[in-house]
Structures are given as structure tokens and as C-alpha cells.
Amino acid sequence: MSRNFFFPVCIAVSATLFFAFSEDEEAAKKKYAATITAADLKKHLSVIASDEYEGRETGKKGQHMTAEYIAKQFASFGIPPLPGNLSQEPNSYKDYYQNVPLVQFKPGSGSIKTQTQSFSFGSDFYYTNGIEDQKVHAENIVFAGYGIQEGSYRDYDKLDVTGKAVMVLSEEPTDKKGNSRITGTQEASTWTTNRRRKSGEARNRKAKVLLIVVPDFQNRYNQNRRAIESPTLQLDEAPKMKGDPDMPVVYISKETADRLLKEGNQKQTIEQLIAKSKKKKPGPRFSFPQAIDIVIERTSEKLNSENVLGYIEGTDLKKELVVVTAHMDHLGKDSLIVFNGADDDGSGTVAVIEMAEAFAIAKKEGHGPRRSILFMLVTGEEKGLLGSKWYTSHPVFPLANTVCDLNIDMIGRIDPAHKNDTNYVYVIGSDRLSTELKTINEKNNARYTGMLLDYKYDVPNEPNNFYGRSDHYNFAKNNIPIAFFFNGTHADYHKESDEVSKINFPLMERRTLLVFYNCWEIANRDQRLIVDVKK
């Protein structure tokens, strides 16, 4: 056989083997993708989003039940416990856990005092559960109207509030027709709809405390009872705050405000000030000497929670890791009302379970991934991304070897913006660190799932800040490329009506498959994703 004949034959044979391998891989990929079904997604979701699981509140019974359910699924798929995590308990599902130690702060009472008066938590004032324990003393109170600084309505002009207690009215001024003085329409401005707007303005002006006068105090308290009375959580090893705590925001009744005004020798009542402040231009604004002491107190106790980790070891590139996340926790229950969180984030949780099963079957049948994959259901997302923060601070596998995080948070519903075009998914962050990741996602969607990829929320300074509100963010902060898959919010978001009966399972299956195909490609490609965007 001559050399000239041998060379083209080798090329032909190599090409044949390459295409045969590609076809085999494509067939395998589709075979294991087919194990992800709407029926299986519904089966799992009907369990963890049932009343029995009590809304899966972080560190509570239902969340622990969910963790055990997930671990049992991983074990049934043949996914082994975490390396080096074997417990002393036989057949313990805790071998799949990464413990997340927490401290729970329960709202206390606290106090507001002046030289001659004392005010009580719950009847005279309240604060919401995200506040820090602290003691505040101010020698002066500044009444700053509605606390609005926008356009021609400027409550803070010529007011110095540095180091003082600032008293403002809740919501915003309206005219005789009920139109907002800020928007000029019946629609309220963000000074009403965004509770951080007024506090941010006062904070930037170095106020010591913000007192917001709520005329319908008892109704407002009842409406916000959950936010007021629910405990807050933080990681047990969270670093101590340096410097002064954040400026507290305290909501006071109209009667409390009147008593403070009277003791400060002010003749106007809150009702009179409200009437004057509803004029087109800002109404009365003034400072008066009135010493006030505010004490914020909460009780604390230690609490344990857990992330659940299903690890599938890779082959020749096993030191590199692809992470797939969703959060298992939700809001829990309020008396007899259970917040089942079928969409948020039961949908993402069961999607990860189904993907883990597909890859476990693939590995058993000789089609395991080249890179290792970590399927991780995290705790405490609703409490401040706590589970993912703990993992990225205490990684089981080196963050330097982590290729990307594919995060799924709410993929079972349709938001109002897509009621006429339901075949969609929002994708957020896919090119913020690696442009390759966005390209891979778009290619796989075009080839396999054919959805509209909506980038509406993937823009700088997006008002909802969805990029910073789910667990992928803790990976992104560590320079790890991420892609966040999301269906948008809807009328049942964070309400007891977020139920399994409202989930669109065929659409949920399609969205899960898109993440599966991305995971397959990223885990098996020759080159690791390149971080080519500096953020």
C-alpha cells in the first residue's frame, strides 16, 4: 500500500469514526433527556409542595423533610454520598448534607422613651424583622413632610437632618381628585411602592433614625404582621458588623406622633400637618428640640439547616465542576395558612432532581460526564441567599475548579407579560462573566427547545434586581460564570395561592430540558468556559 493511498484512507476512517461518535453522543444525550418528563416533575412537586411539608421554611420541619426527600431521591438514583461525608448512622441521608449553621432572631419589644413618656411595641410603634439590635439617642426631631425629594416636590430642601431623628408621613400627597402629586395620576410613585426609597433618602442625609407616621396604624400592622413578627436568620459564622449599625426605620402611630409633637411644644397635630402637606408644593417642615431614646431588641437562638448535594464524578476532567442549583426553602406557614411555594422554588427543586436522575442513569450506562457535576439544593434563599452564601464561603469542592453555576428559580408559571406568548423563559446573567455561556444557551435552545429567550431583566440597573436576588449571585461574586432561568413573577408570587394546580408542567419540562442540554455540553466540551468579561 502506497503512502499516498494510506493517507486519504486514514482521513476517511477518522472522519467516519468522528461522525459516528458525534451521532452516538447526540443519541445518548436525547435518550437521557427523555427521562425528564412533565409527569415526573409533577410527581415530585406534588410531594414537596403539599401541605404536609408546611411551606418548607428554612430550618423548620418542612424544610428538613424536603432535604430528606431530595437525599432519598439521590440515593435511589445511585448517586453516592459526598466523598468523606459518611456518617455513623446506618442508611443516613445526612451523608448528602452540607450543614448550614444559623442564628435566628425573633422580634422583641424594644422601647421608645422621651423625658416624660414611654411608648410600647405593637400598640405605639413597630419595626420590621430585618432591623439590627441597637440603641439610638437623638436630641432633635425634624418633621420632613412626606420625606420625598423629587422634581418640584422637595421636602428636604434647606433641612439639615444630620444626626437627628426624622419624622415623615407614610405614602405620598394627593390632590382633591386622589391623584398623586408626584406622578400626576392615580398611580402611586415609587416613594409609596418601594419601601426603601424614603429610608434611603434619609440615610443618605445621615439621619439617625427614620420615624414613619402611619395614620391607619393597626390596619398596617395587621397587613404586615408576617414581616413584623417573623424571625430573621443569619449565618452563625457571619462576620460581626463593623462600625455603626444601619439607620433604623420605625413605624409610629398618629397618636404617638402627636404625643411627640406636643411634648416638643409644637401646636400642630399630624392631621393638620397632613392637610397642609397635601398641597402642590411641600407643606410644613421644621425641626424641634425633643430628646428621644429608641431601643431595638430581639432574642436569638441557634438553628440548623442544610444544603443537599448530589455529586456525580466526571471522567478525564473530573477535577472541574459544573454546579446546578435551586433553592428548596419557601415561606413556611402562618397559623393554618400554608405557603406551599409550588413555583417558588418547588419548580426549580424538582427540575434539579430530574436532571440528577438523568445524569445518574447516563453514568450507569457508560455515558457519564467528563467534568463532575454537583446538583445542589440550597436552603435559606428566602432569608437572604444563606445556603449558597455558606457553600461559597465553605466550598466542598474548590471554587477555582468550578466552571459555572446554572441556577433555576421559578420555571413553572407564565407571567402577565407573556400571556399571549407562553413559550418563553427569562435568562439572566449568561454573558456577565462568560460570553461563551450565552452562546451555548442560545445554540441549545435553537436546536432542542425552541423557546423565546427573554433578556428583559438582564440589563444594568434593572429595577427589580433579579440578578442579585437568587443563589447564582454568590457564585457570580466569586467570578464564576452563571446563568439564571426564571419565569418572572405573577399574582401568586409569595402568596398562599402558589399551588401545584397552577403549574404548567409541559412548559416546565421544556425549560428543564434547556438547562439539561446546557449542563451536558458544558460538562463534556473539550475546553472549560472562558471568563472573558471583567465585572
Side-chain angles (χ1 to χ4, degrees):
M1 183 180 295
S2 72
R3 186 175 180 180
N4 288 339
F5 175 75
F6 178 75
F7 183 68
V9 168
C10 285
I11 293 176
V13 171
S14 297
T16 301
L17 289 173
F18 172 78
F19 287 118
F21 175 77
S22 297
E23 290 172 3
D24 286 346
E25 183 183 23
E26 185 66 17
K29 188 193 307 185
K30 289 183 176 179
K31 173 185 176 182
Y32 303 117
T35 67
I36 298 171
T37 66
D40 285 347
L41 291 166
K42 184 175 183 178
K43 177 187 72 175
H44 293 303
L45 189 58
S46 297
V47 175
I48 68 167
S50 66
D51 286 354
E52 183 184 356
Y53 281 64
E54 300 184 352
R56 310 188 303 276
E57 185 173 358
T58 304
K60 300 293 180 68
K61 174 185 172 183
Q63 185 263 301
H64 295 310
M65 290 172 64
T66 307
E68 183 171 321
Y69 179 86
I70 295 163
K72 283 181 178 179
Q73 300 309 309
F74 287 168
S76 72
F77 303 155
I79 298 174
L82 288 172
N85 202 30
L86 293 175
S87 70
Q88 301 300 314
E89 302 176 42
N91 303 317
S92 173
Y93 295 108
K94 294 180 181 178
D95 296 341
Y96 294 88
Y97 294 173
Q98 179 192 37
N99 290 324
V100 180
L102 302 170
V103 178
Q104 176 176 265
F105 291 93
K106 295 181 179 179
S109 55
S111 64
I112 295 180
K113 293 182 180 180
T114 64
Q115 188 174 356
T116 63
Q117 302 183 85
S118 224
F119 302 89
S120 301
F121 182 91
S123 57
D124 300 317
F125 73 93
Y126 70 82
Y127 51 81
T128 56
N129 58 12
I131 205 166
E132 299 171 71
D133 288 4
Q134 57 190 290
K135 295 180 179 180
V136 177
H137 174 79
E139 288 290 333
N140 295 275
I141 296 177
V142 178
F143 179 77
Y146 281 89
I148 293 171
Q149 191 80 355
E150 182 173 323
S152 62
Y153 204 99
R154 307 182 69 80
D155 279 317
Y156 283 102
D157 279 3
K158 298 181 180 180
L159 280 183
D160 178 14
V161 300
T162 303
K164 300 174 183 178
V166 175
M167 181 190 295
V168 302
L169 302 171
S170 64
E171 300 177 348
E172 61 194 79
T174 55
D175 61 20
K176 294 179 180 179
K177 295 181 179 179
N179 291 323
S180 163
R181 293 286 189 190
I182 310 304
T183 66
T185 69
Q186 293 283 323
E187 185 176 353
S189 75
T190 54
W191 292 97
T192 293
T193 60
N194 184 348
R195 64 183 178 84
R196 295 181 177 87
R197 191 95 195 261
K198 290 187 180 183
S199 60
E201 188 69 38
R203 186 177 295 111
N204 290 340
R205 293 174 180 276
K206 297 181 171 51
K208 214 163 197 181
V209 60
L210 181 64
L211 305 172
I212 299 181
V213 184
V214 184
D216 55 341
F217 181 85
Q218 197 57 56
N219 287 336
R220 185 72 66 88
Y221 186 96
N222 291 337
Q223 290 171 6
N224 294 281
R225 183 179 297 275
R226 186 173 180 82
I228 297 165
E229 297 181 356
S230 294
T232 54
L233 295 176
Q234 71 178 41
L235 296 172
D236 196 9
E237 290 188 0
K240 299 295 183 183
M241 297 293 293
K242 293 181 180 180
D244 295 331
D246 197 16
M247 179 201 77
V249 178
V250 179
Y251 298 85
I252 64 174
S253 69
K254 182 175 63 175
E255 292 74 19
T256 299
D258 283 340
R259 288 166 63 187
L260 290 172
L261 288 166
K262 186 176 181 179
E263 185 174 339
N265 296 316
Q266 302 303 304
K267 296 181 180 180
Q268 300 179 87
T269 66
I270 282 295
E271 283 294 345
Q272 292 170 331
L273 292 170
I274 290 174
K276 292 179 180 179
S277 296
K278 283 189 174 183
K279 294 180 178 180
K280 190 170 185 179
K281 291 185 179 180
R285 297 167 299 141
F286 51 88
S287 176
F288 59 98
Q290 173 61 70
I292 186 171
D293 288 282
I294 299 174
V295 177
I296 307 296
E297 292 179 324
R298 300 169 300 170
T299 59
S300 65
E301 64 174 320
K302 294 194 174 183
L303 199 67
N304 282 316
S305 189
E306 55 277 318
N307 296 327
V308 185
L309 283 64
Y311 175 70
I312 295 182
E313 188 175 56
T315 55
D316 59 315
L317 299 174
K318 66 182 180 181
K319 288 187 178 180
E320 295 182 5
L321 185 74
V322 178
V323 179
V324 184
T325 52
H327 71 90
M328 74 179 104
D329 64 304
H330 192 53
L331 303 181
K333 65 178 185 176
D334 184 3
S335 187
L336 297 178
I337 299 173
V338 181
F339 296 81
N340 284 316
D343 190 30
D344 183 15
D345 184 28
S347 60
T349 298
V350 301
V352 174
I353 291 172
E354 278 290 280
M355 288 177 59
E357 181 179 23
F359 276 94
I361 295 170
K363 181 166 183 176
K364 283 180 188 176
E365 297 183 357
H367 292 279
R370 298 176 66 189
R371 290 178 178 82
S372 299
I373 304 175
L374 181 64
F375 296 99
M376 180 163 61
L377 288 311
V378 297
T379 187
E381 189 269 356
E382 299 287 3
K383 305 295 185 180
L385 315 185
L386 299 181
S388 55
K389 184 177 182 180
W390 180 263
Y391 178 86
T392 52
S393 299
H394 304 79
V396 176
F397 304 96
L399 294 184
N401 294 348
T402 303
V403 174
C404 72
D405 172 48
L406 304 175
N407 185 46
I408 311 171
D409 192 348
M410 299 172 59
I411 58 165
R413 294 287 296 274
I414 297 163
D415 73 352
H418 291 89
K419 62 182 180 180
N420 297 320
D421 182 14
T422 60
N423 190 37
Y424 77 100
V425 65
Y426 290 108
V427 183
I428 301 172
S430 60
D431 65 350
R432 300 237 183 163
L433 290 167
S434 172
T435 55
E436 284 186 322
L437 182 51
K438 183 175 184 177
T439 301
I440 288 169
N441 183 57
E442 291 184 340
K443 181 192 72 175
N444 284 325
N445 179 61
R447 187 169 188 176
Y448 300 110
T449 49
M451 291 183 289
L452 167 68
L453 302 181
D454 194 329
Y455 297 107
K456 172 184 176 180
Y457 297 120
D458 196 23
V459 294
N461 302 315
E462 194 278 313
N464 296 284
N465 188 30
F466 288 127
Y467 179 66
R469 284 173 53 183
S470 192
D471 295 293
H472 58 274
Y473 189 61
N474 282 317
F475 289 89
K477 287 197 296 185
N478 285 279
N479 214 39
I480 296 168
I482 67 93
F484 171 30
F485 300 87
F486 175 52
N487 56 217
T489 58
H490 43 74
D492 301 308
Y493 173 66
H494 278 194
K495 293 188 172 66
E496 65 271 22
S497 50
D498 183 5
E499 297 283 1
V500 175
S501 60
K502 298 181 179 180
I503 297 293
N504 184 325
F505 286 100
L507 180 56
M508 183 175 160
E509 175 190 304
R510 201 173 307 123
R511 290 166 172 165
T512 305
L513 285 172
L514 177 57
V515 184
F516 168 84
Y517 283 119
N518 287 330
C519 185
W520 185 286
E521 179 167 344
I522 295 166
N524 287 295
R525 69 202 304 259
D526 290 333
Q527 300 298 320
R528 174 177 175 160
L529 284 177
I530 298 173
V531 179
D532 57 356
V533 181
K534 292 183 179 180
K535 291 287 185 182

